[in-house]
Amino acid sequence: VMGEYEPKIEVQFPEVVPVAKSSTVKLECFALGNPVPTISWKREDGVPFGRKVDMNKASGVLEIPYFQQEDSGMYECIAENSRGRNSVKGKLSFYAPPQLTEKPQDVQKTIDDTLVWECKANAKPKPSYGWLKNGEPLDHMEQDRVEVNNGVLTISNLNLADIGMYQCVAENKHGRIFTNAELRVIAIAPDFSQNLLKAQTLARQGGDILIECKPRMSPRGVISWRKGKEALRESHR
């Protein structure tokens, strides 16, 4: 028929369209043709659209609200009329800036104790982690006591110099997030108030006896024993 021609799609999508988590994405498909072509959309993998997807055939707009990982993939716009059919594809890629799922809490430790803090975040692509102390990277600290493994910070043999405000940083190319935690390290003189020795212990003649000495102190100190005024020495018994 004179003047009739197959659809010609006037839109070219980028090779990849990055879409942020929970955002709304719109793909518009416009085609010329005579008769006026109808516009339809489908996923290349054949997965049917869910209820949330709005496909307006009149305007050729595909709208996907609250974009999630499962919405990523290749989408195809199809223009058809009595003279033929044409299509164009566009790929939607899901991304998400870091969101913390586990973060370190303020803590008080004694001298010589070990600190283990864990920092976790969800992100797409996966985040990398870093740690700061009072705003400075932890790389400048003593490496034999400080271990950073992904989002886990371990400091062994704590001392008063470790006191400070620490930050975990989780980041990918779409964003970064910080979380703070304070470390307090305390010194304590020997204190028996929570673990008193029994005033009297009965023992069977020829049997064994165990007396435990567990004072609370920081740093760890030297413990010695006396019987009366005489220092006890180790022997075969």
Side-chain angles (χ1 to χ4, degrees), residues 166-224:
Y166 290 74
Q167 282 185 312
C168 170
V169 186
E171 63 180 317
N172 65 11
K173 64 182 180 180
H174 300 292
R176 71 167 54 174
I177 194 165
F178 294 83
T179 182
N180 301 324
E182 184 181 6
L183 170 64
R184 295 185 296 276
V185 181
I186 57 172
I188 305 171
D191 176 15
F192 286 93
S193 62
Q194 295 180 10
N195 293 290
L196 294 173
L197 294 183
K198 291 181 180 180
Q200 187 179 51
T201 303
L202 295 177
R204 180 173 57 84
Q205 184 173 354
D208 296 336
I209 185 69
L210 175 69
I211 306 174
E212 287 190 301
C213 177
K214 288 185 175 180
R216 186 168 182 252
M217 55 181 169
S218 174
R220 298 185 187 99
V222 176
I223 293 176
S224 59

Side-chain angles (χ1 to χ4, degrees), residues 14-214:
E15 187 174 340
V16 176
V17 179
V19 186
K21 178 183 178 182
S22 301
S23 64
T24 296
V25 61
K26 290 183 180 181
L27 290 176
E28 185 174 6
C29 189
F30 173 71
L32 297 175
N34 188 14
V36 175
T38 59
I39 303 292
S40 61
W41 288 90
K42 72 173 186 177
R43 285 184 60 144
E44 190 179 54
D45 58 12
V47 175
F49 294 142
R51 287 184 178 182
K52 70 176 182 178
V53 177
D54 182 20
M55 184 169 51
N56 191 323
K57 291 187 177 182
S59 64
V61 174
L62 176 74
E63 181 175 328
I64 307 173
Y66 198 67
F67 196 84
Q68 298 298 307
Q69 177 97 48
E70 59 269 20
D71 296 319
S72 59
M74 192 73 76
Y75 287 75
E76 185 176 11
C77 163
I78 301 148
E80 293 180 281
N81 66 9
S82 58
R83 303 294 292 177
R85 178 182 188 275
N86 226 320
S87 68
V88 65
K89 295 177 182 179
K91 186 175 183 179
L92 300 182
S93 173
F94 172 87
Y95 75 86
Q99 286 187 317
L100 285 169
T101 58
E102 191 167 330
K103 53 187 180 181
Q105 303 295 321
D106 294 348
V107 70
Q108 179 173 287
K109 294 279 189 178
T110 56
I111 293 175
D112 293 331
D113 203 350
T114 297
L115 169 75
V116 179
W117 263 333
E118 189 166 6
C119 183
K120 280 185 180 178
N122 285 335
K124 178 70 175 182
K126 288 183 177 180
S128 60
Y129 297 92
W131 286 87
L132 310 173
K133 179 192 175 187
N134 298 328
E136 296 293 328
L138 274 178
D139 297 343
H140 301 305
M141 294 185 64
E142 305 166 50
Q143 290 301 306
D144 58 332
R145 294 194 305 113
V146 179
E147 182 183 347
V148 176
N149 184 7
N150 212 3
V152 179
L153 168 66
T154 304
I155 305 177
S156 56
N157 300 321
L158 290 169
N159 58 53
L160 297 178
D162 296 320
I163 293 172
M165 186 67 72
Y166 290 74
Q167 282 185 312
C168 170
V169 186
E171 63 180 317
N172 65 11
K173 64 182 180 180
H174 300 292
R176 71 167 54 174
I177 194 165
F178 294 83
T179 182
N180 301 324
E182 184 181 6
L183 170 64
R184 295 185 296 276
V185 181
I186 57 172
I188 305 171
D191 176 15
F192 286 93
S193 62
Q194 295 180 10
N195 293 290
L196 294 173
L197 294 183
K198 291 181 180 180
Q200 187 179 51
T201 303
L202 295 177
R204 180 173 57 84
Q205 184 173 354
D208 296 336
I209 185 69
L210 175 69
I211 306 174
E212 287 190 301
C213 177
K214 288 185 175 180

